[in-house]
Amino acid sequence: MWKLQISLFGILFVVIFVEATVIPHLWSPLRVDLFIGMIIGLIIHTPYSQGFPFVILASLFLQAFSGARLGYLPLLYVFTYLCIDLLKNIVYLENVFTQLTIGFLFFLVTTTAVVASVQGSIIDTNLGALLFGAVLTGSMSPIMATLVRHLKSTYES
Amino acid sequence: MRNHKGARNLFLLVAAALIILLLSFGQNSSSSLGLNIIREGFFFFERIVRSPVGFVHGLWLDYIYLVDARQENQDLKKLVDEMRVKCMILEELREENWQLKAMMDYRSEHQEFVLYPAKLLAQDITMVFKSVIIDRGSRHGFYLDMPIVNPDGVVGRVIAVSPRTAEVLLVTDPNSAIPAHIEDSRIKGIVKGRGINTLSLEYVRRAEEVHIGSAVVTSGLLGMFPKGLILGYVQEVTTDENKMFAQILISPSANMEKIEIVFGLGPHVEAAD
């Protein structure tokens, strides 16, 4: 269990580096959320007792790299975790296209929700970057989910 | 017989000379018909004579002489690649030099403050909030609420500080609010971030006359930012009869998408004492 958690945090640091340094360097308004893919992977491949605490802790780590008020990002990711966990009973989450769609939709939904609660209008956001970010997040979600599955299977065997 | 033939040739030559002379007669320029015909004839002659010589010359130059051209071409291509890389490096150095020069100028203009330089380390992971992390922290003189500027204007303020890093809330962040006034008319208001590369000047009555392009500077109220630091320029003014305040959009003077090096604006040592 601990090995898995430590490895997950290792991946999280890479995710933060990519999200906070690499992606903005390529195109300043662009943001990609690789953590949504990790959440999908955690829901599918790890029990609630391992996945949920990791999401809370990891979102606190992510909070350090945002100007959002304290608790905003944990709230957002816990909401995402619970929603996808509920969806698990409705849709076949192991499917790559389902993961892709969920990644795409949740990026759009969470960003729109934050925009609505903070500045009021989605029009004030760079829509091109928002859509491109959603597409990239969707595309990366199955990869991140597969990464979690590989970690889990490695430590189980 | 031979004499007869020689006389005929001589006659033909004299006749030709006479024809040319006749054709040129009465014209004092060198563009007479006869001379032109001669020139044209020479042109064709020259072409006919020259073409086989040119062919041999071309064969020599384009094929036999170019045995080493392939190797030379490769060497030159390599050289061009090297030069391109060098140009790229020089371009980067030029840009860096320009930035440093601008900062030196800024430093000399603001000698009443101590300027702490810092480089950008990371940017906000969310699309909505606008903050950056810099590579200097409390060990280097950065503190909470410290104003962060660059030669173009105000960038933001420090909202979190650790020994080696500091988090800066950019002026474009929706949570950012800075007391300011319009430089020429002294109209006061609060500059707020709008998430994108635009600011808004809030709480300015719609009756006030605000000019497009006027500079908006910090007013120094609340003591967080020193007075007179440039925030941006008035971009758009909209008034609505049903609303008490005008909606004023400001274009930030510092381009938040291109910031690389920033300054923490600290009080001078004497002033601090």
Side-chain angles (χ1 to χ4, degrees):
Chain A
M1 178 197 165
W2 289 110
K3 280 182 182 174
L4 177 71
Q5 292 287 331
I6 290 164
S7 302
L8 285 171
F9 273 104
I11 294 170
L12 183 75
F13 275 105
V14 177
V15 163
I16 290 170
F17 178 71
V18 172
E19 286 185 13
T21 308
V22 179
I23 301 279
H25 209 78
L26 297 175
W27 186 24
S28 194
L30 179 66
R31 293 293 181 274
V32 178
D33 197 341
L34 303 176
F35 193 53
I36 292 177
M38 279 186 86
I39 291 177
I40 295 171
L42 286 167
I43 289 170
I44 301 169
H45 305 292
T46 61
Y48 190 81
S49 59
Q50 282 185 31
F52 193 64
F54 173 77
V55 170
I56 294 173
L57 268 173
S59 58
L60 282 170
F61 271 73
L62 290 166
Q63 176 81 59
F65 296 87
S66 173
R69 285 177 196 280
L70 195 66
Y72 212 101
L73 288 189
L75 179 78
L76 209 69
Y77 285 119
V78 165
F79 167 77
T80 306
Y81 183 92
L82 294 174
C83 281
I84 299 174
D85 200 39
L86 274 175
L87 279 174
K88 190 172 72 172
N89 305 318
I90 304 164
V91 292
Y92 184 60
L93 217 57
E94 280 83 348
N95 186 293
V96 171
F97 292 104
T98 311
Q99 292 170 1
L100 200 145
T101 313
I102 286 175
F104 176 82
L105 286 176
F106 268 85
F107 182 84
L108 278 184
V109 168
T110 49
T111 308
T112 312
V114 175
V115 169
S117 68
V118 174
Q119 65 191 44
S121 172
I122 191 79
I123 299 162
D124 286 344
T125 313
N126 188 329
L127 285 175
L130 176 70
L131 283 174
F132 191 46
V135 169
L136 276 178
T137 302
S139 315
M140 290 303 290
S141 293
I143 298 169
M144 297 309 291
T146 311
L147 205 64
V148 176
R149 191 192 69 190
H150 273 293
L151 276 182
K152 180 75 181 166
S153 57
T154 305
Y155 290 124
E156 272 181 353
S157 62
Chain B
M1 185 73 183
R2 190 178 284 174
N3 286 340
H4 181 71
K5 204 178 177 181
R8 199 179 70 179
N9 285 344
L10 186 68
F11 171 75
L12 283 171
L13 274 171
V14 171
L18 273 172
I19 291 165
I20 293 163
L21 203 67
L22 282 169
L23 286 169
S24 313
F25 190 74
Q27 297 179 33
N28 54 6
S29 76
S30 62
S31 62
S32 65
L33 183 63
L35 294 176
N36 279 347
I37 289 168
I38 292 169
R39 283 191 204 106
E40 286 294 308
F42 178 76
F43 171 77
F44 287 111
F45 171 78
E46 198 265 352
R47 276 290 167 92
I48 291 161
V49 172
R50 201 187 173 95
S51 58
V53 175
F55 176 75
V56 174
H57 189 246
L59 197 74
W60 174 260
L61 282 179
D62 296 343
Y63 293 96
I64 300 162
Y65 191 68
L66 293 182
V67 174
D68 296 329
R70 189 182 158 83
Q71 184 60 41
E72 196 179 342
N73 189 33
Q74 282 176 348
D75 291 347
L76 285 170
K77 273 186 176 170
K78 203 176 155 189
L79 197 70
V80 167
D81 286 346
E82 276 179 29
M83 289 298 177
R84 283 175 66 186
V85 173
K86 278 181 182 170
C87 270
M88 217 160 65
I89 294 165
L90 283 173
E91 194 63 33
E92 184 63 29
L93 285 172
R94 194 174 72 112
E95 186 64 29
E96 198 178 314
N97 184 40
W98 182 86
Q99 278 188 6
L100 290 170
K101 196 174 175 297
M103 290 191 164
M104 287 302 287
D105 292 345
Y106 190 84
R107 206 167 198 164
S108 57
E109 282 168 18
H110 293 82
Q111 286 185 346
E112 67 272 30
F113 302 108
V114 179
L115 298 174
Y116 301 91
K119 276 186 182 174
L120 207 70
L121 204 65
Q123 293 190 38
D124 201 300
I125 56 164
T126 66
M127 192 170 268
V128 184
F129 300 102
K130 306 287 174 191
S131 68
V132 293
I133 292 166
I134 52 174
D135 67 343
R136 291 284 186 270
S138 55
R139 278 188 178 187
H140 311 96
F142 284 77
Y143 54 88
L144 214 59
D145 286 335
M146 185 187 211
I148 302 294
V149 295
N150 79 356
D152 295 326
V154 178
V155 171
R157 68 183 167 90
V158 174
I159 54 164
V161 66
S162 64
R164 288 182 186 86
T165 63
E167 189 174 6
V168 178
L169 187 78
L170 300 181
V171 286
T172 47
D173 188 280
N175 293 318
S176 167
I178 302 167
H181 64 244
I182 297 170
E183 200 171 33
D184 49 12
S185 58
R186 318 306 284 179
I187 298 166
K188 285 186 170 55
I190 303 284
V191 168
K192 282 190 167 183
R194 286 170 58 88
I196 47 172
N197 254 350
T198 319
L199 310 170
S200 64
L201 184 63
E202 309 274 333
Y203 311 116
V204 173
R205 283 180 299 151
R206 68 163 194 268
E208 302 276 12
E209 200 174 326
V210 179
H211 303 289
I212 307 285
S214 297
V216 179
V217 296
T218 51
S219 65
L221 288 173
L222 302 179
M224 204 180 288
F225 284 88
K227 195 177 176 181
L229 296 177
I230 190 146
L231 282 159
Y233 301 93
V234 176
Q235 189 185 341
E236 192 185 315
V237 182
T238 318
T239 50
D240 187 345
E241 282 190 7
N242 300 318
K243 289 180 181 171
M244 185 188 271
F245 302 113
Q247 192 189 17
I248 302 167
L249 295 185
I250 297 164
S251 139
S253 55
N255 188 343
M256 300 301 160
E257 289 180 1
K258 288 183 180 173
I259 45 172
E260 284 175 17
I261 303 168
V262 291
F263 280 121
L265 209 62
H268 210 271
V269 181
E270 284 85 4
D273 290 337

